[in-house]
Amino acid sequence: MGAQTTSTRGTFEARVLTLVRRIPRGRVATYGDVAELAGRPRAWRAVGTIMSNCRSPTVPCHRVVGAGGRLGGYSEPWRKRQLLREEGIVVGRRAIRQFSQVRWTPR
DNA sequence: ATTTTGACCGTGC
DNA sequence: CGCACGGCCAAAA
C-alpha cells in the first residue's frame, strides 16, 4: 500500500453494498448510518441513489430506512413494510417502533 | 470538466 | 403535525 492509506480503494458504492449485506435479519440501519459506516458521514443522499439502483437479491436493501426510523423509500413501499414486519420489526403508520433497539451497529 | 439525478436530512413555518 | 426548501454527495450522462 502506498503512503496514501485514506481508506478502501473500492468505490463508495461497493463499500455501501458490503455494509448493507452485513445488516442482520431483524435489524435496520438508516441511510445516514450507512454513509457514516462507509466513511462519508454526509453522503446519505448518495446512499439513497445507490439503493435505488441496487436490485441485487443478495443485498437486503429493505433494511435501510430513513432517519428516526421512518421507512424511507422503496420500489414498492408496502412491500418494504411487509418485509420488515416478517423479520419481527414493529412498524407503525409512520415509523418503526422501538427504533433504537432494532437499529444495527457493527461490532 | 460540468451538469443532472435521486429510495436523503434538518430546519423553519 | 405536515409541507417546502436548501444543502449534501457520489455516480452517470
Side-chain angles (χ1 to χ4, degrees):
Chain A
M1 295 282 275
Q4 181 114 68
T5 62
T6 45
S7 61
T8 52
R9 197 143 300 177
T11 62
F12 179 69
E13 176 177 11
R15 279 178 284 164
V16 166
L17 295 180
T18 297
L19 277 164
V20 174
R21 258 185 291 252
R22 291 179 54 195
I23 303 175
R25 197 185 152 78
R27 312 295 294 281
V28 298
T30 68
Y31 294 93
D33 289 340
V34 175
E36 181 160 3
L37 292 169
R40 294 286 182 284
R42 287 166 218 173
W44 6 262
R45 196 80 146 91
V47 172
T49 302
I50 292 167
M51 288 296 110
S52 68
N53 262 324
C54 164
R55 307 163 191 73
S56 275
T58 64
V59 180
C61 50
H62 63 281
R63 296 185 189 140
V64 182
V65 301
R70 272 170 315 236
L71 285 194
Y74 201 71
S75 53
E76 294 167 295
W78 65 90
R79 180 81 179 127
K80 188 170 188 175
R81 259 197 307 222
Q82 179 185 33
L83 289 170
L84 291 175
R85 279 174 174 156
E86 285 175 3
E87 299 189 359
I89 295 172
V90 184
V91 186
R93 271 175 78 270
R94 296 278 309 165
I96 292 172
R97 313 261 192 196
Q98 309 295 305
F99 175 54
S100 55
Q101 299 189 33
V102 296
R103 191 179 190 174
W104 175 67
T105 303
R107 77 192 207 74

